[in-house]
Amino acid sequence: MAKLTFDGNTGLLEKKRSAVDADDDERAMKRTKLPTRTDYTRWRIRADRGRHTWHYLQDDEASRAWPQTIADKYFLGLPTELPALQQPKKPLDSVQNGLEFFQHLQLEAGNWGCEYGGPMFLLPGLVITWTVTESPIPEPYAIEIKNYLFARQNLEDGGWGLHIEGESTVFGTAMNYTVLRLLGVSEEDERMIKARGTLHKLGGAANGPHWAKFWLSVLGVCQWDVVNPVPPELWLLPDWVPFAPWRWWIHMRQVFLPMSYISSKKFTYRTTPLIRQLRQELFVEPYESINWAAHRNSIASVDNYHPKTWVLNSLNWILVNLWNPYIRPNFIAQKSEDWVWKLIQMEDKNTDFADLGPVNGPMNLIVCYMKEGPDAYSVKRHKERLEDFLWVKSEGMLMNGTNGVQVWDTAFLIQSVVSAGLAEDPKWRPMLTKALQFLDDQQIRENVDDQAACYRQQRKGGWAFSTKDQGYAVSDCISEALKAILLLQRTPGYPTLLSDRRIYDAIDTLLTYQNASGGCASYEPTRGSEYIEYLNAAEVFGRIMIEYDYPECTTAVVGALSLFSTYYPDYRSADITALKSRAVAWIKSNQRQDGSWYGSWGICFTYAGMFALESLASIGENCDNSEYVKKGCDFLLSKQRSDGGWSESYKSCEHSAYIEHPTGSQVVQTAWACIALMEAKYPDPEPIEKGLKLIMERQQPNGEWLQEAIEGVFNKSCMISYPNYKFNFPIKALGMFATKYGNRTLL
């Protein structure tokens, strides 16, 4: 085996060549065509305390020893063979049928799993990382990643977008084309020819956004001169500097942290025959004649959602033309790289190498590979933890937007069953007890050791979006988990797993998320001015540089604190009252003239409207006594369709205006709107009944609802899937109706 070395001066990953290595490269160029599909009866999901990993069994004996579950089959799109149930006529009949199906998807740890896909820029970072760290890609993975990418190729032009419902972009097309070539797909494949034609019409990979140019430079397809700088020196800035990185949104700073190290070192993979081919395939002019520096700011209009500001362009010019070539002292470069490495080590330690998400995880692996070599524990553990982000479905293997949605979805399921008045039903008690035990296990019981040094938010007593291992508490995740626990622990027949002290810990942390405005942020309170958006270098995302006030987070916090105070009226009552007063004032001020609220994490005005009206209901405001609530209801009712449903497109998020989805009414959004109207005590049940009828009519004979349009969003422009919403929210809406109006016949 050839020895790999990284040259810190040249940035090149060097491999001492041999005749054997040359043969390896030649074989890679002539790789046998990947099989069409794996045997889906051999895939299994393992759920170890919420950690999801997929495993492909190699033979029949292993398959018999580890039988497929109904959940495995459902996730993979295989027949579950669950029986048809009695046709529901009343809301609770539909709820019971939904739970009858959904209970089979509960995993051993007590949580519910699902894909969390949608973004089309995640797999490329992973596959490029596997490639440049010389990590073998298991054939079942290669086959199913290939299948997924072709399944999500836009039929019209052969390209790929920023997300699965988006139009073709340079970012999506260049990166996913590259992945397919790395996996062994021929450039002569008709689908690849079509994709290449679209890429060239858009100006080629030189017109890609910053992140595309970064990854292609790591791979050695682009040269580093095309990448705008991400100087590690930023992490040496004093805390008082208004744009110091600790003030950035957590996802932005944790991505730019390893990106700055890799960019500073100009790490580049070795040149192989395939890399040489990609250099000819991805660009519209000969690779040898490209003026890379001239393309630093080249970007296709379809990718340029958030154009770089003149401020950022000016700073980049100074860094590229003055600081880096003439001024930058070596000792400053070394000091900044050393500190960035230390911060990366803290991130890895605090998450057991799972890291915040699927963008910084692969980048951190590359940094560990550069610093410690291929045999280091950090490299091996990173590779293991990257498995947490992979998911297999009927279309193939994708990369999730986090390591899952475990805590979030489980909390909503508990609340939905309680809302239906079914928590005391002996049939559902075992399922709910396991769910409660999962939330008990996933509470974060301590702050990180180096909280101040790595600028981490207080987290003791909180819950993450996914798992305790990931370890980043989020305001609305704490709120929804806490509500679920309070409701269930106060229901007869359930154990009291969380002591008062542990619940107080959750409240103590929850009270830290409010901003001076009165609104609440997601991972941590806002630390910097919105002017930092002038430094947004990502181009494809908006509102990404700092934390913001979010209606969903603010309303979730208000709802959780209101529920908590009914059971614990004396604990920090003054602080809770003050926070709620300021938060409610912000919620009202955030309402638009038309009565809507803009949602930042779900689509879009419908989603935020549900949370806003739910929070106002928690303080006693409804249609009878609040103009804000009445306006919110009027807005939602103005969007109800003739079939009784609601249908909002992801385009609403991009354009900040309500846009109907072209496919018509959506079950999930109809449930959101019905929940909002019921929370608001809208006086006329007729529009709610019409919406619930649509939900019941869409339910399948076995109790499930089918997947429709994408449900989630982040940073305004990228959509993400929440498949369990189609169970949790219809169940909640139907159950609430039965509790509020009686279990009357609707069908």
Coordinates of all heavy atoms in Angstrom, one line a residue, residues 120-179:
M120 N -29.4 18.9 -1.5 CA -28.7 18.1 -2.4 C -27.2 18.5 -2.5 O -26.5 18.1 -3.4 CB -29.3 18.3 -3.8 CG -30.6 17.8 -4.0 SD -30.8 16.0 -3.7 CE -29.7 15.3 -5.0
F121 N -26.7 19.1 -1.4 CA -25.3 19.5 -1.4 C -24.5 18.7 -0.3 O -23.3 19.0 0.0 CB -25.1 21.0 -1.2 CG -25.7 21.5 0.1 CD1 -25.1 21.5 1.3 CD2 -27.0 22.0 0.0 CE1 -25.7 22.0 2.4 CE2 -27.6 22.6 1.1 CZ -27.0 22.5 2.3
L122 N -25.2 17.8 0.4 CA -24.6 17.1 1.5 C -23.8 15.9 1.1 O -22.7 15.7 1.5 CB -25.7 16.7 2.5 CG -26.5 17.9 3.1 CD1 -27.6 17.3 4.0 CD2 -25.6 18.8 3.8
L123 N -24.4 15.0 0.3 CA -23.7 13.8 -0.2 C -22.4 14.2 -0.9 O -21.4 13.5 -0.7 CB -24.6 13.0 -1.2 CG -25.5 12.0 -0.5 CD1 -26.5 11.4 -1.6 CD2 -24.8 10.9 0.2
P124 N -22.3 15.2 -1.7 CA -21.0 15.5 -2.3 C -19.9 15.8 -1.3 O -18.8 15.3 -1.6 CB -21.3 16.8 -3.1 CG -22.8 16.7 -3.5 CD -23.4 16.1 -2.3
G125 N -20.2 16.5 -0.3 CA -19.1 16.7 0.7 C -18.6 15.4 1.3 O -17.4 15.2 1.6
L126 N -19.6 14.5 1.6 CA -19.2 13.2 2.2 C -18.4 12.4 1.2 O -17.3 11.8 1.6 CB -20.5 12.5 2.5 CG -20.3 11.0 3.0 CD1 -19.5 11.0 4.4 CD2 -21.6 10.3 3.2
V127 N -18.8 12.3 -0.1 CA -18.1 11.4 -1.0 C -16.8 12.0 -1.4 O -15.8 11.2 -1.5 CB -19.0 11.2 -2.3 CG1 -18.2 10.4 -3.3 CG2 -20.3 10.4 -1.9
I128 N -16.7 13.3 -1.5 CA -15.4 13.9 -1.7 C -14.5 13.7 -0.5 O -13.3 13.4 -0.7 CB -15.5 15.4 -2.0 CG1 -16.1 15.6 -3.4 CG2 -14.2 16.1 -1.9 CD1 -16.5 17.1 -3.7
T129 N -15.0 13.7 0.7 CA -14.2 13.5 1.9 C -13.7 12.0 1.9 O -12.5 11.7 2.2 CB -15.0 13.8 3.2 OG1 -15.3 15.2 3.2 CG2 -14.2 13.4 4.4
W130 N -14.6 11.1 1.6 CA -14.2 9.7 1.5 C -13.0 9.5 0.5 O -12.1 8.8 0.7 CB -15.3 8.8 1.1 CG -16.3 8.4 2.2 CD1 -16.1 8.4 3.5 CD2 -17.6 8.0 2.0 NE1 -17.2 8.0 4.2 CE2 -18.2 7.7 3.3 CE3 -18.5 7.8 0.9 CZ2 -19.5 7.3 3.5 CZ3 -19.8 7.3 1.1 CH2 -20.3 7.1 2.4
T131 N -13.2 10.2 -0.6 CA -12.2 10.1 -1.7 C -10.8 10.7 -1.3 O -9.8 10.0 -1.4 CB -12.7 10.9 -3.0 OG1 -13.9 10.3 -3.4 CG2 -11.7 10.7 -4.1
V132 N -10.8 11.9 -0.8 CA -9.5 12.5 -0.5 C -8.8 11.9 0.8 O -7.6 12.1 1.0 CB -9.6 14.0 -0.3 CG1 -10.3 14.6 -1.6 CG2 -10.4 14.4 0.9
T133 N -9.6 11.2 1.6 CA -9.0 10.5 2.7 C -8.8 9.0 2.4 O -8.5 8.2 3.3 CB -9.9 10.6 4.0 OG1 -11.2 10.1 3.7 CG2 -10.0 12.1 4.4
E134 N -8.9 8.7 1.2 CA -8.6 7.3 0.7 C -9.4 6.3 1.5 O -9.0 5.2 1.8 CB -7.1 7.0 0.8 CG -6.2 8.0 0.1 CD -6.1 7.7 -1.4 OE1 -6.5 6.7 -1.8 OE2 -5.6 8.6 -2.1
S135 N -10.7 6.6 1.7 CA -11.6 5.7 2.5 C -12.4 4.9 1.5 O -13.1 5.4 0.6 CB -12.5 6.5 3.3 OG -11.8 7.4 4.2
P136 N -12.3 3.6 1.6 CA -13.1 2.7 0.7 C -14.6 3.0 0.8 O -15.1 3.1 2.0 CB -12.7 1.3 1.2 CG -11.4 1.4 1.9 CD -11.5 2.8 2.6
I137 N -15.2 3.0 -0.3 CA -16.7 3.2 -0.3 C -17.3 1.9 -0.5 O -17.2 1.2 -1.5 CB -17.1 4.2 -1.4 CG1 -16.4 5.5 -1.2 CG2 -18.7 4.4 -1.3 CD1 -16.7 6.5 -2.3
P138 N -18.1 1.3 0.5 CA -18.7 0.0 0.4 C -19.6 0.0 -0.9 O -20.3 1.0 -1.2 CB -19.5 -0.2 1.6 CG -18.8 0.8 2.6 CD -18.3 1.9 1.8
E139 N -19.5 -1.1 -1.6 CA -20.3 -1.2 -2.8 C -21.8 -0.9 -2.6 O -22.4 -0.2 -3.4 CB -20.1 -2.5 -3.5 CG -20.8 -2.6 -4.9 CD -20.5 -3.8 -5.7 OE1 -21.1 -4.9 -5.3 OE2 -19.7 -3.8 -6.6
P140 N -22.4 -1.5 -1.6 CA -23.8 -1.2 -1.4 C -24.1 0.3 -1.2 O -25.1 0.8 -1.7 CB -24.2 -2.0 -0.1 CG -23.2 -3.1 0.0 CD -21.9 -2.5 -0.6
Y141 N -23.2 1.0 -0.6 CA -23.3 2.5 -0.5 C -23.2 3.1 -1.8 O -24.0 4.0 -2.2 CB -22.3 3.1 0.5 CG -22.4 2.8 1.9 CD1 -23.1 1.6 2.4 CD2 -21.8 3.6 2.9 CE1 -23.2 1.4 3.7 CE2 -21.9 3.3 4.2 CZ -22.6 2.2 4.7 OH -22.7 1.9 6.0
A142 N -22.2 2.8 -2.6 CA -22.0 3.4 -3.9 C -23.2 3.1 -4.8 O -23.7 4.1 -5.5 CB -20.7 2.8 -4.5
I143 N -23.7 1.9 -4.8 CA -24.9 1.6 -5.6 C -26.1 2.5 -5.2 O -26.7 3.1 -6.1 CB -25.3 0.1 -5.5 CG1 -24.2 -0.8 -6.0 CG2 -26.6 -0.2 -6.1 CD1 -24.3 -2.2 -5.7
E144 N -26.4 2.6 -3.9 CA -27.6 3.3 -3.5 C -27.4 4.8 -3.5 O -28.4 5.5 -3.7 CB -28.1 2.8 -2.2 CG -28.5 1.3 -2.2 CD -29.6 1.0 -3.3 OE1 -30.3 1.9 -3.7 OE2 -29.7 -0.2 -3.7
I145 N -26.2 5.3 -3.3 CA -26.0 6.8 -3.5 C -26.2 7.1 -5.0 O -26.9 8.1 -5.3 CB -24.6 7.2 -3.1 CG1 -24.5 7.1 -1.5 CG2 -24.3 8.6 -3.5 CD1 -23.1 7.3 -1.0
K146 N -25.7 6.3 -5.9 CA -25.9 6.5 -7.3 C -27.4 6.5 -7.6 O -27.9 7.4 -8.3 CB -25.2 5.4 -8.1 CG -25.5 5.4 -9.6 CD -25.4 4.0 -10.2 CE -26.5 3.1 -9.7 NZ -26.5 1.8 -10.4
N147 N -28.1 5.5 -7.1 CA -29.6 5.4 -7.3 C -30.3 6.7 -6.8 O -31.2 7.2 -7.5 CB -30.1 4.2 -6.7 CG -29.7 2.9 -7.4 OD1 -29.3 3.0 -8.5 ND2 -29.8 1.8 -6.7
Y148 N -29.9 7.1 -5.7 CA -30.6 8.3 -5.1 C -30.4 9.5 -6.0 O -31.3 10.3 -6.3 CB -30.2 8.6 -3.7 CG -30.9 9.8 -3.1 CD1 -32.2 9.7 -2.6 CD2 -30.2 11.0 -3.0 CE1 -32.8 10.8 -2.1 CE2 -30.9 12.1 -2.4 CZ -32.2 12.0 -2.0 OH -32.8 13.1 -1.5
L149 N -29.2 9.7 -6.4 CA -28.9 10.9 -7.2 C -29.6 10.9 -8.5 O -30.1 11.9 -9.0 CB -27.4 11.1 -7.4 CG -26.6 11.4 -6.1 CD1 -25.1 11.6 -6.4 CD2 -27.1 12.6 -5.3
F150 N -29.6 9.7 -9.1 CA -30.4 9.7 -10.4 C -31.9 9.8 -10.2 O -32.6 10.4 -11.0 CB -30.0 8.4 -11.1 CG -28.8 8.4 -11.9 CD1 -27.9 7.3 -11.9 CD2 -28.4 9.5 -12.7 CE1 -26.7 7.4 -12.6 CE2 -27.2 9.6 -13.4 CZ -26.4 8.5 -13.4
A151 N -32.4 9.3 -9.0 CA -33.8 9.4 -8.7 C -34.2 10.9 -8.5 O -35.3 11.3 -8.8 CB -34.2 8.6 -7.5
R152 N -33.2 11.7 -8.1 CA -33.5 13.1 -7.8 C -33.0 14.0 -8.9 O -33.0 15.3 -8.7 CB -32.9 13.5 -6.4 CG -33.7 12.9 -5.3 CD -35.1 13.4 -5.3 NE -36.0 12.9 -4.2 CZ -37.2 13.2 -4.1 NH1 -37.8 14.1 -4.9 NH2 -38.0 12.6 -3.1
Q153 N -32.6 13.5 -10.0 CA -32.2 14.3 -11.1 C -33.4 14.9 -11.8 O -34.4 14.3 -11.9 CB -31.4 13.4 -12.1 CG -30.8 14.2 -13.3 CD -30.0 13.2 -14.2 OE1 -30.3 12.0 -14.3 NE2 -29.0 13.7 -14.9
N154 N -33.3 16.2 -12.0 CA -34.5 16.9 -12.7 C -34.7 16.3 -14.1 O -33.8 16.3 -14.9 CB -34.2 18.4 -12.7 CG -34.3 19.1 -11.4 OD1 -35.0 18.6 -10.5 ND2 -33.6 20.2 -11.2
L155 N -35.9 15.9 -14.3 CA -36.2 15.2 -15.6 C -36.1 16.1 -16.8 O -35.7 15.7 -17.9 CB -37.6 14.6 -15.5 CG -37.9 13.5 -14.5 CD1 -39.3 13.1 -14.5 CD2 -37.0 12.3 -14.7
E156 N -36.4 17.4 -16.6 CA -36.5 18.3 -17.7 C -35.1 18.6 -18.3 O -34.9 18.6 -19.5 CB -37.1 19.7 -17.3 CG -38.5 19.6 -16.8 CD -38.6 19.1 -15.3 OE1 -37.6 19.0 -14.7 OE2 -39.8 18.8 -14.9
D157 N -34.1 18.8 -17.4 CA -32.8 19.3 -18.0 C -31.7 18.4 -17.5 O -30.5 18.6 -17.9 CB -32.5 20.7 -17.7 CG -32.5 21.0 -16.2 OD1 -32.5 20.1 -15.3 OD2 -32.6 22.2 -15.8
G158 N -31.9 17.4 -16.6 CA -30.9 16.5 -16.2 C -30.0 17.1 -15.1 O -29.0 16.4 -14.7
G159 N -30.3 18.3 -14.5 CA -29.5 18.8 -13.5 C -30.0 18.5 -12.1 O -31.0 17.7 -11.9
W160 N -29.4 19.1 -11.1 CA -29.8 19.0 -9.7 C -29.9 20.4 -9.1 O -29.1 21.3 -9.5 CB -28.8 18.1 -8.9 CG -28.8 16.7 -9.3 CD1 -29.6 15.7 -8.7 CD2 -28.0 16.0 -10.3 NE1 -29.3 14.5 -9.3 CE2 -28.3 14.7 -10.2 CE3 -27.1 16.5 -11.2 CZ2 -27.7 13.7 -11.1 CZ3 -26.5 15.6 -12.0 CH2 -26.8 14.2 -12.0
G161 N -30.8 20.6 -8.2 CA -31.0 21.8 -7.5 C -30.3 21.9 -6.1 O -29.7 20.9 -5.7
L162 N -30.5 23.0 -5.4 CA -30.1 23.1 -4.1 C -30.7 22.1 -3.2 O -30.2 21.6 -2.2 CB -30.3 24.5 -3.6 CG -29.9 24.9 -2.2 CD1 -28.3 24.8 -2.1 CD2 -30.4 26.3 -1.7
H163 N -32.0 21.8 -3.5 CA -32.8 20.8 -2.7 C -33.6 20.0 -3.7 O -33.7 20.3 -4.9 CB -33.6 21.5 -1.7 CG -34.6 22.6 -2.2 ND1 -35.8 22.3 -2.7 CD2 -34.4 23.9 -2.4 CE1 -36.4 23.4 -3.1 NE2 -35.6 24.4 -2.9
I164 N -34.4 19.0 -3.2 CA -35.0 18.0 -4.1 C -36.1 18.6 -4.9 O -36.5 18.0 -5.9 CB -35.5 16.8 -3.3 CG1 -36.5 17.3 -2.2 CG2 -34.3 16.1 -2.7 CD1 -37.1 16.1 -1.4
E165 N -36.7 19.7 -4.5 CA -37.8 20.3 -5.3 C -37.3 21.6 -6.1 O -38.1 22.2 -6.7 CB -39.0 20.7 -4.4 CG -39.7 19.5 -3.8 CD -41.0 19.8 -3.2 OE1 -41.6 20.9 -3.5 OE2 -41.6 19.0 -2.5
G166 N -36.0 21.9 -6.0 CA -35.5 23.1 -6.6 C -35.1 22.9 -8.0 O -34.8 21.8 -8.5
E167 N -35.0 24.1 -8.7 CA -34.6 24.1 -10.1 C -33.1 23.8 -10.2 O -32.4 24.0 -9.2 CB -34.9 25.4 -10.8 CG -34.3 26.6 -10.1 CD -34.7 27.9 -10.7 OE1 -34.9 28.0 -11.9 OE2 -34.9 28.9 -9.9
S168 N -32.6 23.4 -11.3 CA -31.2 23.0 -11.5 C -30.3 24.2 -11.3 O -30.6 25.3 -11.7 CB -31.0 22.4 -12.8 OG -31.7 21.2 -13.0
T169 N -29.2 24.0 -10.5 CA -28.2 25.0 -10.2 C -26.8 24.5 -10.6 O -26.6 23.3 -10.7 CB -28.3 25.4 -8.8 OG1 -27.9 24.3 -8.0 CG2 -29.6 25.9 -8.4
V170 N -25.9 25.4 -10.6 CA -24.5 25.0 -10.8 C -24.1 24.2 -9.5 O -23.4 23.1 -9.6 CB -23.6 26.2 -11.0 CG1 -22.1 25.7 -11.0 CG2 -23.9 26.9 -12.3
F171 N -24.4 24.7 -8.4 CA -24.0 24.0 -7.1 C -24.5 22.5 -7.1 O -23.7 21.6 -7.0 CB -24.7 24.8 -5.9 CG -24.1 24.4 -4.6 CD1 -23.0 23.7 -4.4 CD2 -24.8 24.8 -3.4 CE1 -22.5 23.3 -3.2 CE2 -24.3 24.5 -2.2 CZ -23.2 23.8 -2.0
G172 N -25.8 22.3 -7.3 CA -26.4 21.0 -7.3 C -25.8 20.1 -8.5 O -25.5 19.0 -8.3
T173 N -25.7 20.7 -9.6 CA -25.4 19.9 -10.8 C -23.9 19.6 -10.8 O -23.5 18.4 -11.0 CB -25.8 20.7 -12.1 OG1 -27.2 21.0 -12.0 CG2 -25.5 19.8 -13.3
A174 N -23.0 20.5 -10.6 CA -21.6 20.2 -10.6 C -21.2 19.3 -9.5 O -20.4 18.3 -9.8 CB -20.8 21.5 -10.4
M175 N -21.8 19.4 -8.3 CA -21.4 18.6 -7.2 C -21.9 17.2 -7.4 O -21.2 16.2 -7.1 CB -21.9 19.2 -5.9 CG -21.3 20.6 -5.6 SD -19.5 20.6 -5.4 CE -19.3 19.7 -3.9
N176 N -23.1 17.0 -7.7 CA -23.7 15.7 -7.8 C -23.2 14.9 -9.1 O -23.0 13.7 -9.0 CB -25.2 15.7 -7.8 CG -25.7 16.1 -6.4 OD1 -25.5 15.4 -5.4 ND2 -26.3 17.3 -6.3
Y177 N -22.9 15.6 -10.1 CA -22.2 15.0 -11.3 C -20.9 14.5 -10.9 O -20.5 13.4 -11.2 CB -22.1 16.1 -12.4 CG -21.4 15.6 -13.6 CD1 -22.1 15.1 -14.7 CD2 -20.0 15.5 -13.7 CE1 -21.4 14.7 -15.9 CE2 -19.3 15.1 -14.8 CZ -20.1 14.6 -15.9 OH -19.4 14.2 -17.0
T178 N -20.2 15.3 -10.1 CA -18.8 14.9 -9.6 C -19.0 13.6 -8.7 O -18.1 12.7 -8.9 CB -18.2 16.0 -8.8 OG1 -18.0 17.1 -9.7 CG2 -16.8 15.6 -8.2
V179 N -19.9 13.6 -7.9 CA -20.1 12.4 -7.0 C -20.4 11.1 -7.9 O -19.7 10.1 -7.6 CB -21.3 12.6 -6.1 CG1 -21.7 11.3 -5.4 CG2 -21.0 13.6 -5.0

